[in-house]
């Protein structure tokens, strides 16, 4: 079962990289919960439930940032949980600021579907980039 869980999560990231968000929806359990930790100043921090929550998250994010690269570089098999380590490079649409952030995701897979997605991210870099003025929008190292 755990190898199957890793494959479900790999598929999630493959579809994300291809921009096929609607094709991710069948991978989500009916009681899917996405918890994105972060401060109140981060517009998309919060808990999202079900397919509607999944869509709502991306509705917010698409208005504010453009993910230029999302590299899920390590998948750790923990039975019904899959821990993914990665790094993302992103551009803020309002000010052209760019940031690179490390992240860790913990997926819970039940009966071949993703039931929980715990999203732990270097939100300090994200908030800093969102708050930069247009004249400060130089790329981050």
């Amino acid at each position: 079962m755990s190898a199957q869980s890793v494959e479900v999560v790999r598929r999630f990231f493959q579809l994300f990289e291809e921009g096929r968000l609607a094709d991710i929806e069948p991978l989500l359990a009916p009681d899917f919960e996405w918890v994105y930790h972060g401060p109140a100043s981060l517009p998309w921090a919060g808990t999202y439930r079900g397919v509607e929550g999944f869509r709502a998250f991306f509705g917010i994010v698409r208005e504010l940032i453009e993910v230029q690269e999302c590299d899920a570089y390590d998948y750790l098999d923990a039975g019904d949980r899959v821990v993914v380590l990665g790094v993302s490079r992103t551009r803020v649409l309002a000010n052209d600021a760019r940031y690179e952030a490390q992240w860790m995701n913990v997926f819970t897979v039940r009966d071949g579907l993703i039931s929980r997605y715990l999203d732990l991210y270097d939100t300090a870099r994200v908030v800093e980039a969102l708050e930069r003025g247009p004249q400060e929008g130089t790329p981050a190292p």
Side-chain angles (χ1 to χ4, degrees):
M1 178 65 163
S2 63
Q4 179 189 12
S5 297
V6 172
E7 287 310 308
V8 168
V9 175
R10 282 185 187 279
R11 181 74 177 143
F12 176 98
F13 280 103
Q14 176 188 3
L15 292 168
F16 176 79
E17 279 291 314
E18 295 171 2
R20 297 169 52 194
L21 298 179
D23 291 335
I24 292 173
E25 293 177 7
L27 299 177
L28 307 178
D31 62 345
F32 171 72
E33 178 182 69
W34 186 346
V35 179
Y36 192 105
H37 283 280
S41 58
L42 185 61
W44 55 84
T47 300
Y48 300 86
R49 290 183 173 83
V51 170
E52 290 306 316
F54 178 82
R55 291 176 185 160
F57 175 87
F58 283 107
I60 296 167
V61 168
R62 282 183 167 167
E63 296 292 317
L64 299 170
I65 62 171
E66 173 188 49
V67 177
Q68 297 178 313
E69 183 181 354
C70 178
D71 181 15
Y73 58 79
D74 204 358
Y75 293 80
L76 307 171
D77 185 345
D80 67 341
R81 291 200 178 125
V82 178
V83 178
V84 184
L85 304 177
V87 61
S88 293
R89 292 167 191 83
T90 305
R91 180 177 74 89
V92 177
L93 299 176
N95 61 16
D96 205 42
R98 296 165 196 247
Y99 63 88
E100 178 179 296
Q102 298 290 322
W103 48 263
M104 179 177 72
N105 297 157
V106 181
F107 290 84
T108 302
V109 179
R110 187 181 68 241
D111 299 325
L113 298 174
I114 298 168
S115 62
R116 189 159 195 269
Y117 178 3
L118 175 60
D119 206 338
L120 304 168
Y121 210 91
D122 181 359
T123 57
R125 286 190 182 253
V126 181
V127 170
E128 177 184 278
L130 288 170
E131 293 176 349
R132 281 188 209 144
Q135 70 280 4
E136 301 173 84
T138 56

